[in-house]
Amino acid sequence: MRESPSPSDGPGGCTPANVTGNGRIVLDSLALPVMVVRADNSIGYVNSAAEPFFGMSRSYLAQSRLTDLLPADNPVFMLMEQVRAQDHTVVEHEVALESPRLHHDGVTVQGAPMPEEPGSVVLTFHDFSAVRVLDRQLTFRSAARSVAGMAAILAHEVKNPLSGIRGAAQLLETSVGESDRELAVLIQDEVNRIRDLVDRMDMFSDRPIERRPVNIHRVLEHVRRLAQQGFAADIRFQEEYDPSLPPVWGNRDQLVQVLLNLVKNAAEALHDHPADAPAPVITLTTGYRPGIWVSTGGGQRVQLPLLVSVRDNGPGIPDNIRPHLFEPFLTTKTTGSGLGLALAGKIVGDHGGVIEVESQPGCTDVLLHLPVVTEDRETP
């Protein structure tokens, strides 16, 4: 969607490409990436925020052309042409900046003319993807808290009567005839099923978790071995690990639980593959991505640089399900409880991390952003 605000709305349209002195100080203090593109699409200036956004140094960018960063059919070039033709500010929303070295979705790009340098355009980039991820994470945590309250009620009000029902059914099994004994066994089985469900919901409690340094690659290898010995025996695994990663500050058993659940979901999606689809593959990836920070309750900001990805080449998640993935009791499986992903979101949130899902036909990627061990976390 493109807007054409009045010229007065532009982001510093009077700023020359050769920024010096106070102008450089002001632009470098901005958190938004700013770039000046000349008439020949060479880059005249970038501020300091543009370096992490584009993943390149300022000196490299200053020697490049915008066509070196983005393909020529990117909407940014059309936006600049409109700015040059109409000589006023233009805003483009939900722009995808895609290239072999660049990946940003849902970016708002604003372009403004520079009267002192005809043909030059000032571009500012507003990346709201991290904001959307954090908003979804807050929603997941709210849903987990609601389940936590329900779990406490169920544990108190349901489990005790269930024990009485199960004991009565066991007594009946020994005293009734053969035809009724099957019904007594059925009662016990159903009581056990309900008890297991309540036990799973009890995992949503707000009890603090014990955390220590955890090697995420050992966790992933343990999960892979479990999967290949069971539900994913017929699926190929691909591993793309960064061996230089520091340890995660977390709880090993809970991280195993989350990743095993995610791998199981991926395997079940691949088992529904049509016969003519590519061979099923689950890819486990780790990496270091320093772009996400979250604010804690104490007003501190915590970085989540460690990225763990579980990706499958299955059919993808339906559009109508995707916005509700982490809601409790939502499931598309005939035998599912709908608590797996809700629990995963809750556990990752307890670790101070963020979980997000990217899905399209042929690829579903679940991303975990986790904290790492720092100097003040060297001991449990």
Side-chain angles (χ1 to χ4, degrees):
M1 179 176 64
R2 180 173 287 121
E3 300 172 357
S4 298
S6 63
S8 62
D9 294 334
C14 63
T15 305
N18 186 18
V19 182
T20 58
N22 292 334
R24 179 181 293 273
I25 294 174
V26 171
L27 289 176
D28 281 345
S29 67
L30 296 177
L32 295 176
V34 178
M35 173 184 288
V36 177
V37 182
R38 299 191 182 99
D40 62 353
N41 286 339
S42 63
I43 298 173
Y45 169 80
V46 293
N47 69 345
S48 58
E51 290 184 303
F53 182 80
F54 289 100
M56 305 171 195
S57 68
R58 179 181 293 183
S59 59
Y60 180 88
L61 290 169
Q63 299 172 10
S64 305
R65 300 170 62 85
L66 191 57
T67 48
D68 298 330
L69 308 182
L70 297 170
D73 60 349
N74 192 277
V76 172
F77 292 99
M78 187 180 299
L79 176 146
M80 292 194 301
E81 289 304 315
Q82 188 171 350
V83 172
R84 290 163 179 158
Q86 301 179 7
D87 198 32
H88 63 66
T89 299
V90 177
V91 180
E92 181 82 12
H93 300 286
E94 295 296 325
V95 177
L97 306 180
E98 298 281 353
S99 72
R101 302 180 62 177
L102 192 64
H103 178 78
H104 292 288
D105 289 323
V107 179
T108 294
V109 183
Q110 180 172 310
M114 294 184 61
E116 293 82 359
E117 293 191 16
S120 292
V121 179
V122 181
L123 297 176
T124 57
F125 301 88
H126 307 250
D127 187 0
F128 296 108
S129 59
V131 176
R132 285 193 291 267
V133 169
L134 293 177
D135 284 344
R136 289 196 298 267
Q137 185 69 14
L138 291 176
T139 302
F140 303 157
R141 293 180 185 179
S142 297
R145 282 194 294 269
S146 66
V147 175
M150 186 182 300
I153 295 173
L154 286 175
H156 183 265
E157 301 293 339
V158 175
K159 292 184 75 172
N160 289 338
L162 283 179
S163 299
I165 295 172
R166 189 174 187 277
Q170 289 175 331
L171 291 175
L172 284 174
E173 184 183 2
T174 61
S175 59
V176 298
E178 186 67 30
S179 59
D180 294 328
R181 191 169 299 155
E182 184 178 343
L183 294 176
V185 172
L186 178 62
I187 293 172
Q188 295 177 57
D189 291 342
E190 287 302 294
V191 166
N192 291 338
R193 184 179 65 83
I194 297 172
R195 184 192 59 196
D196 292 342
L197 178 61
V198 173
D199 287 340
R200 289 190 65 189
M201 292 184 64
D202 189 49
M203 298 175 187
F204 286 92
S205 65
D206 291 327
R207 290 189 297 268
I209 61 173
E210 182 181 348
R211 298 163 71 178
R212 54 172 48 89
V214 177
N215 186 320
I216 194 63
H217 297 126
R218 292 182 180 175
V219 171
L220 287 167
E221 281 300 294
H222 179 69
V223 168
R224 181 188 61 79
R225 287 196 298 268
L226 289 176
Q228 289 188 317
Q229 293 298 321
F231 54 81
D234 56 340
I235 296 175
R236 182 171 68 90
F237 278 76
Q238 184 172 313
E239 297 158 328
E240 300 174 1
Y241 295 159
D242 180 353
S244 66
L245 291 180
V248 176
W249 184 244
N251 182 287
R252 178 191 178 277
D253 292 341
Q254 292 196 1
L255 290 173
V256 168
Q257 183 179 3
V258 168
L259 289 166
L260 190 62
N261 191 349
L262 297 181
V263 170
K264 187 172 187 291
N265 287 345
E268 290 175 348
L270 292 172
H271 287 147
D272 296 333
H273 247 194
D276 57 346
V281 179
I282 295 177
T283 304
L284 305 177
T285 305
T286 62
Y288 196 87
R289 184 183 295 178
I292 291 186
W293 293 74
V294 295
S295 296
T296 64
Q300 297 178 332
R301 298 179 71 229
V302 178
Q303 190 178 22
L304 306 176
L306 196 145
L307 176 69
V308 181
S309 166
V310 178
R311 184 169 65 249
D312 68 76
N313 61 340
I317 301 170
D319 292 341
N320 62 323
I321 296 294
R322 203 173 305 161
H324 311 286
L325 277 176
F326 293 86
E327 294 180 5
F329 306 110
L330 177 74
T331 181
T332 58
K333 307 170 188 175
T334 56
T335 58
S337 64
L339 292 177
L341 284 178
L343 180 59
K346 193 263 181 186
I347 291 176
V348 173
D350 287 346
H351 281 74
V354 173
I355 183 171
E356 58 177 323
V357 178
E358 299 174 356
S359 183
Q360 58 186 0
C363 180
T364 296
D365 200 358
V366 184
L367 305 170
L368 308 183
H369 302 272
L370 298 169
V372 297
V373 174
T374 56
E375 291 182 0
D376 58 337
R377 295 173 174 168
E378 290 182 348
T379 57

